[in-house]
Structure formats: structure tokens, C-alpha cells
CSV table of all heavy atoms in Angstrom, one decimal:
chain,number,residue,atom,x,y,z
K,1,VAL,N,64.5,181.6,199.8
K,1,VAL,CA,65.3,180.7,200.5
K,1,VAL,C,66.1,181.5,201.6
K,1,VAL,O,66.7,182.5,201.2
K,1,VAL,CB,66.4,180.0,199.6
K,1,VAL,CG1,67.3,179.1,200.4
K,1,VAL,CG2,65.6,179.2,198.6
K,2,TYR,N,66.1,181.1,202.8
K,2,TYR,CA,66.9,181.8,203.8
K,2,TYR,C,68.4,181.5,203.7
K,2,TYR,O,68.7,180.3,203.7
K,2,TYR,CB,66.4,181.5,205.2
K,2,TYR,CG,65.1,182.2,205.6
K,2,TYR,CD1,63.9,181.6,205.6
K,2,TYR,CD2,65.2,183.6,205.9
K,2,TYR,CE1,62.8,182.2,205.9
K,2,TYR,CE2,64.0,184.3,206.2
K,2,TYR,CZ,62.8,183.6,206.2
K,2,TYR,OH,61.7,184.3,206.5
K,3,ILE,N,69.1,182.5,203.6
K,3,ILE,CA,70.6,182.4,203.5
K,3,ILE,C,71.2,182.6,204.9
K,3,ILE,O,72.1,181.9,205.2
K,3,ILE,CB,71.1,183.5,202.5
K,3,ILE,CG1,70.6,183.4,201.1
K,3,ILE,CG2,72.7,183.5,202.5
K,3,ILE,CD1,70.9,182.1,200.4
K,4,CYS,N,70.7,183.5,205.6
K,4,CYS,CA,71.2,183.9,206.9
K,4,CYS,C,70.1,183.7,207.9
K,4,CYS,O,69.2,184.5,207.9
K,4,CYS,CB,71.7,185.3,206.8
K,4,CYS,SG,72.3,185.9,208.4
K,5,LEU,N,70.3,182.7,208.7
K,5,LEU,CA,69.3,182.4,209.7
K,5,LEU,C,69.3,183.4,210.9
K,5,LEU,O,68.3,183.7,211.4
K,5,LEU,CB,69.5,181.0,210.2
K,5,LEU,CG,69.3,179.9,209.2
K,5,LEU,CD1,69.5,178.5,209.8
K,5,LEU,CD2,67.9,180.0,208.6
K,6,CYS,N,70.5,183.9,211.2
K,6,CYS,CA,70.6,184.8,212.3
K,6,CYS,C,69.8,186.1,212.1
K,6,CYS,O,69.2,186.6,213.0
K,6,CYS,CB,72.1,185.2,212.6
K,6,CYS,SG,73.1,183.8,213.2
K,7,ASN,N,69.9,186.6,210.8
K,7,ASN,CA,69.3,187.8,210.5
K,7,ASN,C,68.0,187.6,209.6
K,7,ASN,O,67.4,188.6,209.1
K,7,ASN,CB,70.3,188.7,209.7
K,7,ASN,CG,71.4,189.2,210.7
K,7,ASN,OD1,71.1,189.7,211.7
K,7,ASN,ND2,72.6,189.0,210.3
K,8,ALA,N,67.7,186.4,209.3
K,8,ALA,CA,66.5,186.1,208.5
K,8,ALA,C,66.6,186.8,207.1
K,8,ALA,O,65.6,187.4,206.7
K,8,ALA,CB,65.2,186.4,209.2
K,9,LEU,N,67.8,186.7,206.5
K,9,LEU,CA,68.0,187.2,205.2
K,9,LEU,C,67.7,186.2,204.2
K,9,LEU,O,68.2,185.1,204.3
K,9,LEU,CB,69.4,187.8,205.0
K,9,LEU,CG,69.8,188.9,205.8
K,9,LEU,CD1,71.2,189.4,205.4
K,9,LEU,CD2,68.9,190.1,205.7
K,10,THR,N,67.0,186.5,203.1
K,10,THR,CA,66.8,185.6,202.0
K,10,THR,C,67.7,185.9,200.9
K,10,THR,O,68.3,186.9,200.8
K,10,THR,CB,65.3,185.7,201.5
K,10,THR,OG1,65.2,187.1,201.0
K,10,THR,CG2,64.3,185.5,202.6
K,11,ASP,N,67.8,184.9,199.9
K,11,ASP,CA,68.7,185.1,198.8
K,11,ASP,C,68.2,186.3,198.0
K,11,ASP,O,69.0,187.1,197.4
K,11,ASP,CB,68.7,183.9,197.9
K,11,ASP,CG,67.4,183.4,197.4
K,11,ASP,OD1,66.4,183.7,198.0
K,11,ASP,OD2,67.3,182.8,196.3
K,12,THR,N,66.9,186.6,198.0
K,12,THR,CA,66.3,187.7,197.3
K,12,THR,C,66.9,189.0,197.8
K,12,THR,O,67.3,189.9,197.1
K,12,THR,CB,64.8,187.8,197.3
K,12,THR,OG1,64.3,186.5,196.8
K,12,THR,CG2,64.2,188.9,196.5
K,13,GLN,N,66.9,189.1,199.2
K,13,GLN,CA,67.5,190.3,199.8
K,13,GLN,C,68.9,190.5,199.5
K,13,GLN,O,69.4,191.6,199.3
K,13,GLN,CB,67.3,190.3,201.3
K,13,GLN,CG,65.8,190.5,201.7
K,13,GLN,CD,65.6,190.2,203.2
K,13,GLN,OE1,65.6,189.1,203.6
K,13,GLN,NE2,65.5,191.3,204.0
K,14,VAL,N,69.7,189.4,199.5
K,14,VAL,CA,71.1,189.5,199.2
K,14,VAL,C,71.3,190.0,197.7
K,14,VAL,O,72.1,190.8,197.4
K,14,VAL,CB,71.8,188.1,199.4
K,14,VAL,CG1,73.2,188.2,198.9
K,14,VAL,CG2,71.7,187.8,200.9
K,15,ARG,N,70.5,189.4,196.8
K,15,ARG,CA,70.6,189.9,195.4
K,15,ARG,C,70.2,191.3,195.2
K,15,ARG,O,70.8,192.1,194.5
K,15,ARG,CB,69.7,189.0,194.5
K,15,ARG,CG,70.2,187.6,194.3
K,15,ARG,CD,69.3,186.8,193.5
K,15,ARG,NE,69.5,185.4,193.8
K,15,ARG,CZ,70.5,184.6,193.3
K,15,ARG,NH1,71.4,185.2,192.5
K,15,ARG,NH2,70.7,183.4,193.7
K,16,GLU,N,69.2,191.8,196.0
K,16,GLU,CA,68.8,193.2,195.9
K,16,GLU,C,69.9,194.1,196.4
K,16,GLU,O,70.2,195.1,195.8
K,16,GLU,CB,67.5,193.4,196.7
K,16,GLU,CG,66.3,193.0,195.9
K,16,GLU,CD,65.0,193.0,196.7
K,16,GLU,OE1,65.1,193.4,197.9
K,16,GLU,OE2,64.0,192.7,196.1
K,17,ALA,N,70.6,193.7,197.5
K,17,ALA,CA,71.7,194.4,198.0
K,17,ALA,C,72.8,194.5,197.0
K,17,ALA,O,73.4,195.6,196.8
K,17,ALA,CB,72.1,193.9,199.4
K,18,ALA,N,73.1,193.4,196.4
K,18,ALA,CA,74.1,193.3,195.4
K,18,ALA,C,73.8,194.3,194.2
K,18,ALA,O,74.7,195.0,193.7
K,18,ALA,CB,74.3,191.9,194.9
K,19,SER,N,72.6,194.2,193.8
K,19,SER,CA,72.2,195.1,192.6
K,19,SER,C,72.2,196.6,193.1
K,19,SER,O,72.2,197.4,192.2
K,19,SER,CB,71.0,194.6,191.9
K,19,SER,OG,69.9,194.7,192.8
K,20,SER,N,72.1,196.8,194.4
K,20,SER,CA,72.1,198.2,194.8
K,20,SER,C,73.5,198.7,195.1
K,20,SER,O,73.7,199.8,195.6
K,20,SER,CB,71.3,198.4,196.1
K,20,SER,OG,70.1,197.8,196.1
K,21,GLY,N,74.5,197.9,194.8
K,21,GLY,CA,75.9,198.3,194.8
K,21,GLY,C,76.7,197.7,195.9
K,21,GLY,O,77.9,198.1,196.1
K,22,ALA,N,76.2,196.7,196.6
K,22,ALA,CA,77.1,196.1,197.6
K,22,ALA,C,78.2,195.3,196.9
K,22,ALA,O,78.0,194.6,196.0
K,22,ALA,CB,76.2,195.1,198.5
K,23,MET,N,79.4,195.6,197.4
K,23,MET,CA,80.6,195.0,196.8
K,23,MET,C,81.2,193.9,197.7
K,23,MET,O,81.9,193.0,197.2
K,23,MET,CB,81.7,196.0,196.5
K,23,MET,CG,81.3,197.1,195.6
K,23,MET,SD,80.9,196.5,193.9
K,23,MET,CE,82.6,196.0,193.4
K,24,ARG,N,80.9,194.0,199.0
K,24,ARG,CA,81.5,193.1,199.9
K,24,ARG,C,80.4,192.5,200.7
K,24,ARG,O,79.3,193.1,200.8
K,24,ARG,CB,82.4,193.9,200.9
K,24,ARG,CG,83.6,194.4,200.2
K,24,ARG,CD,84.4,195.3,201.1
K,24,ARG,NE,85.7,195.5,200.6
K,24,ARG,CZ,86.8,194.7,200.9
K,24,ARG,NH1,86.6,193.7,201.7
K,24,ARG,NH2,88.0,195.0,200.4
K,25,VAL,N,80.7,191.4,201.4
K,25,VAL,CA,79.7,190.7,202.2
K,25,VAL,C,79.2,191.7,203.3
K,25,VAL,O,78.0,191.8,203.5
K,25,VAL,CB,80.3,189.5,202.8
K,25,VAL,CG1,79.4,188.9,203.9
K,25,VAL,CG2,80.6,188.4,201.7
K,26,ARG,N,80.1,192.5,203.9
K,26,ARG,CA,79.6,193.4,204.9
K,26,ARG,C,78.6,194.4,204.4
K,26,ARG,O,77.8,194.9,205.1
K,26,ARG,CB,80.8,194.0,205.7
K,26,ARG,CG,81.4,195.1,204.9
K,26,ARG,CD,82.4,195.8,205.8
K,26,ARG,NE,83.6,195.0,206.1
K,26,ARG,CZ,84.8,195.5,206.1
K,26,ARG,NH1,85.1,196.7,205.8
K,26,ARG,NH2,85.8,194.7,206.3
K,27,ASP,N,78.8,194.8,203.1
K,27,ASP,CA,77.9,195.8,202.5
K,27,ASP,C,76.5,195.2,202.4
K,27,ASP,O,75.5,195.9,202.5
K,27,ASP,CB,78.3,196.2,201.1
K,27,ASP,CG,79.7,196.8,201.1
K,27,ASP,OD1,80.1,197.4,202.1
K,27,ASP,OD2,80.4,196.7,200.0
K,28,VAL,N,76.4,193.9,202.2
K,28,VAL,CA,75.1,193.3,202.1
K,28,VAL,C,74.4,193.4,203.4
K,28,VAL,O,73.2,193.8,203.5
K,28,VAL,CB,75.2,191.8,201.7
K,28,VAL,CG1,73.9,191.1,201.7
K,28,VAL,CG2,75.8,191.7,200.2
K,29,TYR,N,75.1,193.0,204.5
K,29,TYR,CA,74.4,193.1,205.8
K,29,TYR,C,74.0,194.5,206.2
K,29,TYR,O,72.9,194.8,206.6
K,29,TYR,CB,75.3,192.6,206.9
K,29,TYR,CG,75.7,191.1,206.7
K,29,TYR,CD1,76.9,190.7,206.3
K,29,TYR,CD2,74.7,190.1,206.9
K,29,TYR,CE1,77.2,189.4,206.1
K,29,TYR,CE2,75.0,188.8,206.7
K,29,TYR,CZ,76.3,188.4,206.3
K,29,TYR,OH,76.6,187.1,206.1
K,30,ALA,N,75.0,195.5,205.9
K,30,ALA,CA,74.7,196.9,206.2
K,30,ALA,C,73.5,197.3,205.4
K,30,ALA,O,72.6,198.0,205.9
K,30,ALA,CB,75.9,197.7,205.8
K,31,GLY,N,73.4,196.9,204.1
K,31,GLY,CA,72.3,197.3,203.3
K,31,GLY,C,70.9,196.7,203.7
K,31,GLY,O,69.9,197.3,203.5
K,32,CYS,N,71.0,195.6,204.5
K,32,CYS,CA,69.8,195.0,205.0
K,32,CYS,C,69.6,195.4,206.5
K,32,CYS,O,68.7,194.9,207.1
K,32,CYS,CB,69.9,193.5,205.0
K,32,CYS,SG,70.0,192.8,203.3
K,33,GLY,N,70.4,196.4,206.9
K,33,GLY,CA,70.2,196.9,208.3
K,33,GLY,C,70.6,196.0,209.4
K,33,GLY,O,70.1,196.0,210.5
K,34,CYS,N,71.5,195.0,209.1
K,34,CYS,CA,72.0,194.1,210.1
K,34,CYS,C,73.5,193.9,210.0
K,34,CYS,O,74.1,194.5,209.2
K,34,CYS,CB,71.2,192.8,210.0
K,34,CYS,SG,71.4,192.0,208.4
K,35,GLN,N,74.0,192.9,210.8
K,35,GLN,CA,75.4,192.6,210.8
K,35,GLN,C,75.5,191.1,210.8
K,35,GLN,O,74.7,190.4,211.4
K,35,GLN,CB,76.1,193.1,212.0
K,35,GLN,CG,76.1,194.6,212.1
K,35,GLN,CD,76.9,195.0,213.4
K,35,GLN,OE1,77.1,194.2,214.3
K,35,GLN,NE2,77.3,196.3,213.4
K,36,ALA,N,76.6,190.6,210.3
K,36,ALA,CA,76.9,189.2,210.4
K,36,ALA,C,77.0,188.8,211.9
K,36,ALA,O,77.6,189.6,212.7
K,36,ALA,CB,78.2,188.8,209.7
K,37,GLN,N,76.5,187.7,212.2
K,37,GLN,CA,76.5,187.3,213.6
K,37,GLN,C,77.4,186.0,213.8
K,37,GLN,O,78.5,186.0,214.2
K,37,GLN,CB,75.1,187.2,214.2
K,37,GLN,CG,74.5,188.6,214.2
K,37,GLN,CD,73.2,188.6,214.9
K,37,GLN,OE1,73.0,188.1,216.0
K,37,GLN,NE2,72.3,189.3,214.2
K,38,CYS,N,76.8,184.9,213.4
K,38,CYS,CA,77.6,183.6,213.5
K,38,CYS,C,78.6,183.5,212.4
K,38,CYS,O,79.6,182.8,212.5
K,38,CYS,CB,76.7,182.4,213.6
K,38,CYS,SG,76.0,182.0,212.0
K,39,GLY,N,78.4,184.1,211.3
K,39,GLY,CA,79.3,184.1,210.2
K,39,GLY,C,79.2,182.9,209.2
K,39,GLY,O,79.9,182.8,208.2
K,40,ARG,N,78.3,182.0,209.5
K,40,ARG,CA,78.1,180.8,208.7
K,40,ARG,C,77.6,181.0,207.3
K,40,ARG,O,77.8,180.2,206.4
K,40,ARG,CB,77.2,179.8,209.4
K,40,ARG,CG,77.8,179.1,210.5
K,40,ARG,CD,76.8,178.0,210.9
K,40,ARG,NE,77.3,177.5,212.2
K,40,ARG,CZ,76.6,176.6,212.9
K,40,ARG,NH1,75.5,176.1,212.4
K,40,ARG,NH2,77.0,176.2,214.1
K,41,CYS,N,76.9,182.1,207.2
K,41,CYS,CA,76.3,182.4,205.9
K,41,CYS,C,77.2,183.2,205.0
K,41,CYS,O,76.9,183.4,203.8
K,41,CYS,CB,75.1,183.2,206.1
K,41,CYS,SG,75.4,184.7,207.1
K,42,THR,N,78.4,183.6,205.4
K,42,THR,CA,79.2,184.5,204.6
K,42,THR,C,79.7,183.9,203.3
K,42,THR,O,79.7,184.6,202.3
K,42,THR,CB,80.4,185.1,205.4
K,42,THR,OG1,81.2,184.0,205.9
K,42,THR,CG2,80.0,186.0,206.6
K,43,ALA,N,80.0,182.6,203.3
K,43,ALA,CA,80.4,182.0,202.0
K,43,ALA,C,79.3,182.0,201.0
K,43,ALA,O,79.5,182.3,199.8
K,43,ALA,CB,80.9,180.6,202.3
K,44,THR,N,78.1,181.8,201.5
K,44,THR,CA,76.9,181.8,200.6
K,44,THR,C,76.6,183.2,200.1
K,44,THR,O,76.3,183.4,198.9
K,44,THR,CB,75.7,181.2,201.4
K,44,THR,OG1,76.0,180.0,202.0
K,44,THR,CG2,74.5,181.0,200.4
K,45,VAL,N,76.7,184.2,201.0
K,45,VAL,CA,76.5,185.5,200.6
K,45,VAL,C,77.5,185.9,199.5
K,45,VAL,O,77.2,186.5,198.5
K,45,VAL,CB,76.5,186.5,201.8
K,45,VAL,CG1,76.5,188.0,201.4
K,45,VAL,CG2,75.4,186.2,202.7
K,46,LEU,N,78.7,185.6,199.8
K,46,LEU,CA,79.8,185.9,198.8
K,46,LEU,C,79.5,185.3,197.5
K,46,LEU,O,79.7,185.9,196.4
K,46,LEU,CB,81.2,185.4,199.4
K,46,LEU,CG,82.4,185.8,198.5
K,46,LEU,CD1,82.5,187.3,198.4
K,46,LEU,CD2,83.6,185.2,199.2
K,47,SER,N,79.1,184.0,197.5
K,47,SER,CA,78.9,183.4,196.2
K,47,SER,C,77.7,184.0,195.4
K,47,SER,O,77.7,184.2,194.2
K,47,SER,CB,78.7,181.9,196.3
K,47,SER,OG,77.5,181.6,196.9
K,48,ILE,N,76.7,184.5,196.2
K,48,ILE,CA,75.6,185.2,195.5
K,48,ILE,C,76.1,186.5,195.0
K,48,ILE,O,75.7,186.9,193.9
K,48,ILE,CB,74.4,185.4,196.5
K,48,ILE,CG1,73.8,184.0,196.8
K,48,ILE,CG2,73.3,186.3,195.9
K,48,ILE,CD1,72.7,184.1,197.8
K,49,LEU,N,76.9,187.2,195.7
K,49,LEU,CA,77.4,188.5,195.3
K,49,LEU,C,78.2,188.3,194.0
K,49,LEU,O,78.0,189.1,193.0
K,49,LEU,CB,78.4,189.0,196.3
K,49,LEU,CG,78.0,190.0,197.4
K,49,LEU,CD1,79.2,190.4,198.2
K,49,LEU,CD2,77.3,191.2,196.7
K,50,ARG,N,79.0,187.2,193.9
K,50,ARG,CA,79.8,187.0,192.7
K,50,ARG,C,78.9,186.7,191.5
K,50,ARG,O,79.1,187.1,190.4
K,50,ARG,CB,80.7,185.8,192.9
K,50,ARG,CG,81.9,186.2,193.8
K,50,ARG,CD,82.9,185.2,193.9
K,50,ARG,NE,84.1,185.7,194.6
K,50,ARG,CZ,84.8,184.9,195.4
K,50,ARG,NH1,84.6,183.6,195.5
K,50,ARG,NH2,85.9,185.4,196.0
K,51,GLU,N,77.8,185.9,191.8
K,51,GLU,CA,76.9,185.6,190.7
K,51,GLU,C,76.2,186.8,190.2
K,51,GLU,O,76.1,187.0,189.0
K,51,GLU,CB,75.7,184.7,191.3
K,51,GLU,CG,76.0,183.3,191.3
K,51,GLU,CD,74.8,182.5,191.9
K,51,GLU,OE1,73.6,183.0,191.8
K,51,GLU,OE2,75.0,181.5,192.5
K,52,GLU,N,75.8,187.7,191.1
K,52,GLU,CA,75.2,189.0,190.7
K,52,GLU,C,76.1,189.8,189.9
K,52,GLU,O,75.7,190.4,188.9
K,52,GLU,CB,74.6,189.7,191.9
K,52,GLU,CG,73.4,189.0,192.5
K,52,GLU,CD,72.2,189.0,191.5
K,52,GLU,OE1,71.8,190.1,191.1
K,52,GLU,OE2,71.7,187.9,191.2
K,53,ARG,N,77.3,189.9,190.4
K,53,ARG,CA,78.3,190.8,189.6
K,53,ARG,C,78.6,190.2,188.2
K,53,ARG,O,78.6,190.9,187.3
K,53,ARG,CB,79.6,190.8,190.4
K,53,ARG,CG,79.5,191.4,191.8
K,53,ARG,CD,80.2,192.8,191.9
K,53,ARG,NE,79.3,193.8,191.4
K,53,ARG,CZ,78.4,194.4,192.2
K,53,ARG,NH1,78.3,194.1,193.4
K,53,ARG,NH2,77.6,195.3,191.7
K,54,ALA,N,78.6,188.9,188.2
K,54,ALA,CA,78.8,188.2,186.9
K,54,ALA,C,77.6,188.4,186.0
K,54,ALA,O,77.8,188.7,184.8
K,54,ALA,CB,79.1,186.7,187.0
K,55,ALA,N,76.4,188.4,186.5
K,55,ALA,CA,75.2,188.6,185.8
K,55,ALA,C,75.1,190.0,185.2
K,55,ALA,O,74.5,190.2,184.2
K,55,ALA,CB,74.0,188.3,186.7
K,56,GLU,N,75.7,190.9,185.9
K,56,GLU,CA,75.7,192.3,185.4
K,56,GLU,C,76.7,192.5,184.2
K,56,GLU,O,76.7,193.5,183.6
K,56,GLU,CB,76.1,193.3,186.5
K,56,GLU,CG,75.0,193.5,187.6
K,56,GLU,CD,75.5,194.3,188.8
K,56,GLU,OE1,76.7,194.8,188.7
K,56,GLU,OE2,74.8,194.3,189.7
K,57,GLY,N,77.5,191.5,184.0
K,57,GLY,CA,78.4,191.6,182.9
K,57,GLY,C,79.6,192.5,183.1
K,57,GLY,O,80.3,192.9,182.2
K,58,GLY,N,79.8,192.9,184.4
K,58,GLY,CA,81.0,193.7,184.7
K,58,GLY,C,82.3,192.9,184.7
K,58,GLY,O,82.3,191.7,184.6
K,59,ALA,N,83.4,193.7,184.9
K,59,ALA,CA,84.7,193.0,184.9
K,59,ALA,C,85.0,192.3,186.2
K,59,ALA,O,85.9,191.6,186.3
K,59,ALA,CB,85.7,194.1,184.6
K,60,GLY,N,84.2,192.6,187.2
K,60,GLY,CA,84.5,191.8,188.4
K,60,GLY,C,83.8,192.2,189.6
K,60,GLY,O,84.1,191.8,190.6
W,1,LIG,S1,73.5,182.7,209.5
W,1,LIG,FE1,74.1,184.7,208.9
W,1,LIG,S2,75.2,185.5,210.6
W,1,LIG,FE2,74.4,183.6,211.3
């Protein structure tokens, strides 16, 4: 599923970035070699980041 249309990022890429250590939304874009453009996807990216962090069983 495409999360970010500007950069053609999929939820899989966002999850991979999160599991590679991205802590913030901007880290996800950086990890994918791009930057947020319109910003519409940031809430979705953030919720995926939170899901991934929760799935890792960490404190936060
Ligand atoms: S949809 Fe991600 S920056 Fe525009």
C-alpha cells in the first residue's frame, strides 16, 4: 500500500525503516533516501512507526 504518494513510499518501506532504527518521521524519509514534501502522509507514517515500536515490545 502506498503511504506517501509524493515519494512513492509503501507501508513495507516505512516498516523496514522503523525496524532499522528510525525513531522519527523524518528518519523514515531519510532512510528511504527522500524527504517529506506535501506532508500529508506524516500522520500515517507516525502511526506505522508507533505500531512497529509497539510490536518490538520496547518501552516506547
Ligand atoms: S504524500 Fe508523502 S510527502 Fe506527500
Side-chain angles (χ1 to χ4, degrees):
V1 177
Y2 283 105
I3 298 298
C4 174
L5 296 179
C6 295
N7 292 309
L9 293 185
T10 63
D11 62 329
T12 305
Q13 287 172 284
V14 174
R15 286 178 206 283
E16 283 172 358
S19 63
S20 309
M23 298 297 291
R24 294 170 164 272
V25 171
R26 76 169 71 134
D27 299 333
V28 172
Y29 298 108
C32 297
C34 61
Q35 294 182 344
Q37 294 185 49
C38 75
R40 282 190 195 175
C41 55
T42 55
T44 309
V45 171
L46 184 60
S47 71
I48 292 175
L49 266 183
R50 287 188 175 147
E51 275 177 29
E52 287 296 303
R53 300 250 82 86
E56 285 171 10

